[in-house]
Amino acid sequence: MERISWQQYFMAQSYIAALRSTCTRLKVGAVIVRDNRMIASGYNGSVSDGAHCIDHGCYMVDGHCARTVHAEANALLQCARFGVSTESTHIYVTHYPCLQCCKMIIQSGITKLFYAEDYRNHKYAIDLFKEAGIATQKITLEDISIETKSNEKRHFVHKLLSELEATGLNEDRILKLKQEEMRLF
């Protein structure tokens, strides 16, 4: 089996970070990388120990949730909090950054942005990244999934196969299906 590329690895890590999001509108994750090593991660959610959107709903102001700190900002703030330089680093984000996060990325010294999904890509943000010489690249995850219910799915498939077997389905067909079940799980 071939290993996944660094880009696929770090993009997958950004999706894992997004699983911590407390936003009910869009789950976003970000990972900051230097020399193929993660130095910080972040996800969109409320300030530490604050009210979370998943518990209290979004606090909307001018079409934006005022309660939420964006994933990119949280990753950058983690670096600031622990005294880690972001000069000449790369950032992997599940979604294209908003205009405010774009400006923070530029000011932080990050030199390359990788993102997986377009999301309201602001024309000015696109222009700012170009003017700042920050390369942006869309990276989609290929053949990678983050499985959170594999045991439940395996038991479900096993139950289905047992029920199929009880109906009198051809024994060779059942055997092939069970072999495929073993291969997948």
Side-chain angles (χ1 to χ4, degrees), residues 96-99 119-128:
Y96 195 87
C98 72
L99 182 56
Y119 183 72
R120 301 180 183 175
N121 302 19
H122 197 285
K123 184 185 177 333
Y124 188 49
I126 295 168
D127 292 342
L128 284 174

Side-chain angles (χ1 to χ4, degrees), residues 163-177:
E163 289 180 18
L164 275 174
E165 190 173 26
T167 67
L169 186 65
N170 178 294
E171 285 183 32
D172 288 337
R173 182 69 182 133
I174 289 289
L175 180 61
K176 287 181 181 178
L177 290 171

Side-chain angles (χ1 to χ4, degrees), residues 25-81:
R25 299 171 67 217
L26 182 69
K27 294 186 178 304
V28 179
V31 175
I32 300 175
V33 174
R34 175 185 295 111
D35 299 325
N36 287 337
R37 301 290 179 262
M38 290 186 296
I39 61 170
S41 65
Y43 53 88
N44 57 331
S46 302
V47 297
S48 297
D49 300 321
H52 294 282
C53 298
I54 57 174
D55 299 323
H56 301 283
C58 292
Y59 180 50
M60 300 299 290
V61 176
D62 298 328
H64 299 281
C65 182
R67 195 183 309 272
T68 302
V69 180
H70 289 193
E72 303 92 327
N74 267 325
L76 289 166
L77 291 166
Q78 186 179 80
C79 287
R81 187 174 197 170

Side-chain angles (χ1 to χ4, degrees), residues 101-169:
C101 287
C102 161
K103 292 186 275 186
M104 285 186 266
I105 289 167
I106 291 168
Q107 290 299 96
S108 72
I110 290 173
T111 58
K112 191 156 189 178
L113 161 72
F114 297 95
Y115 67 99
E117 299 179 43
D118 292 302
Y119 183 72
R120 301 180 183 175
N121 302 19
H122 197 285
K123 184 185 177 333
Y124 188 49
I126 295 168
D127 292 342
L128 284 174
F129 279 134
K130 284 180 185 172
E131 289 172 16
I134 295 177
T136 62
Q137 185 177 347
K138 186 173 184 177
I139 301 288
T140 54
L141 288 178
E142 300 168 5
D143 298 326
I144 296 173
S145 65
I146 299 168
E147 183 58 63
T148 60
K149 299 194 183 312
S150 61
N151 286 335
E152 292 174 50
K153 289 179 181 180
R154 183 176 63 245
H155 291 298
F156 178 72
V157 169
H158 184 73
K159 180 180 170 187
L160 283 176
L161 289 175
S162 296
E163 289 180 18
L164 275 174
E165 190 173 26
T167 67
L169 186 65

